[in-house]
Amino acid sequence: MEFFTSYDGTTLAFRTVGDGPPLLCLPGGPGRAAEYLGDLGGLARTRTLILPDTRGTGASATPADPATYRIDRLVADVESLRRHLGLDRVDLLGHSAGGGLALLYAAAHPERLTSLTLLTASFAAVGLPSDTGAEQVIAVRAAEPWHAAAVEAYRGMKSARSFTEAAAHRLAFEPLMYGRWDAAARAHAAADPAQRSLAVSDHYYAGYTPDTDHLHARLGALPCPVLLLGGELDLWPTATATTAAAALFPHPTVAVQPAAGHYPWLDDPAALAGTVEDFLAHLTVS
């Protein structure tokens, strides 16, 4: 684990995994420590993954002002880390809510990106829906033994007024977030509460309203290539929402991993790592 001091004096942690060109990976949750990303299905065999813990999570310190947990304020932490690493430009990957942060970073600092990978990313930060067609995805899985309880929990999470309130439904809901509800998925889901800070979760979007005209204009001029990678069985975002979001960018590539949920590196590690590496390797060749 390594540490750096961010713009406001808060000490933040990150770790590096793997070997090869650096890939900065922003975790989601929101408010989940980066540990849950693992090595992204073996992507660390060809890339050095830089995995920061969002302020207030994991080994990162709790800031004096909880308002700095808000997604647009976190852009400054990403920029502080880039400077600390001494990288003029970065390949940036954002997962889930971290994908929303990656989008805001791209809009604010387009000149600092070599590429942008949005891995089952939330599009709430730029004012787009992430759950288009979710009911159809849920219906596809109706034969699963856990389906009825998971759907009831999904409704509870949708109606919750905060992440803290939604947490009461999370365990029963979790099977819907994985392509296979097997031992690996159960272990990954069971680790969530200890890795998540609900204080960060609840402040992540609090008081944030996207300036959609500005953000869409900035992203529409983004010079770097963008990979949008969705899971066929994911609910947030659905593959439909991921595909639609490609219209934001001038240079998008869309991939949908078959039979994958919100954590595609667990459902098919080789497929996930291969898709991302092929995208990044093509940039090197180009």
Side-chain angles (χ1 to χ4, degrees), residues 175-228:
L176 283 168
M177 295 297 278
Y178 296 84
R180 294 190 312 274
W181 188 235
D182 56 13
R186 289 184 176 92
H188 191 263
D192 185 309
Q195 295 170 346
R196 184 185 295 265
S197 166
L198 288 173
V200 176
S201 300
D202 283 337
H203 282 89
Y204 201 79
Y205 295 113
Y208 173 73
T209 302
D211 183 344
T212 53
D213 288 343
H214 171 74
L215 290 169
H216 292 193
R218 295 284 287 180
L219 295 172
L222 191 65
C224 72
V226 179
L227 171 64
L228 301 96

Side-chain angles (χ1 to χ4, degrees), residues 147-171:
H147 187 264
V151 171
E152 182 179 358
Y154 167 75
R155 308 282 184 230
M157 291 189 71
K158 289 275 285 184
S159 63
R161 293 164 295 180
S162 68
F163 284 93
T164 297
E165 186 177 315
H169 305 281
R170 178 167 290 279
L171 184 60

Side-chain angles (χ1 to χ4, degrees), residues 95 119-120 229-231 257 260-269 272:
H95 173 249
L119 175 56
T120 57
L229 202 164
Q257 186 169 310
H262 196 58
Y263 309 98
W265 62 92
L266 292 178
D267 297 313
D268 189 337
L272 182 281

Side-chain angles (χ1 to χ4, degrees), residues 57-141:
T57 74
S60 287
T62 299
D65 182 4
T68 61
Y69 293 142
R70 199 173 73 181
I71 185 170
D72 55 328
R73 304 278 299 270
L74 294 175
V75 169
D77 285 340
V78 181
E79 177 63 2
S80 293
L81 177 54
R82 181 198 64 79
R83 292 179 179 177
H84 172 80
L85 295 168
L87 298 173
D88 183 58
R89 296 199 299 165
V90 296
D91 290 309
L92 182 63
L93 179 149
H95 173 249
S96 191
L101 175 56
L103 284 165
L104 296 189
Y105 182 86
H109 301 284
E111 75 286 356
R112 296 301 184 187
L113 293 184
T114 304
S115 70
L116 175 62
T117 297
L118 300 170
L119 175 56
T120 57
S122 168
F123 302 106
V126 293
L128 294 181
S130 294
D131 60 350
T132 308
E135 294 295 334
Q136 291 93 321
V137 177
I138 290 171
V140 165
R141 312 192 74 181

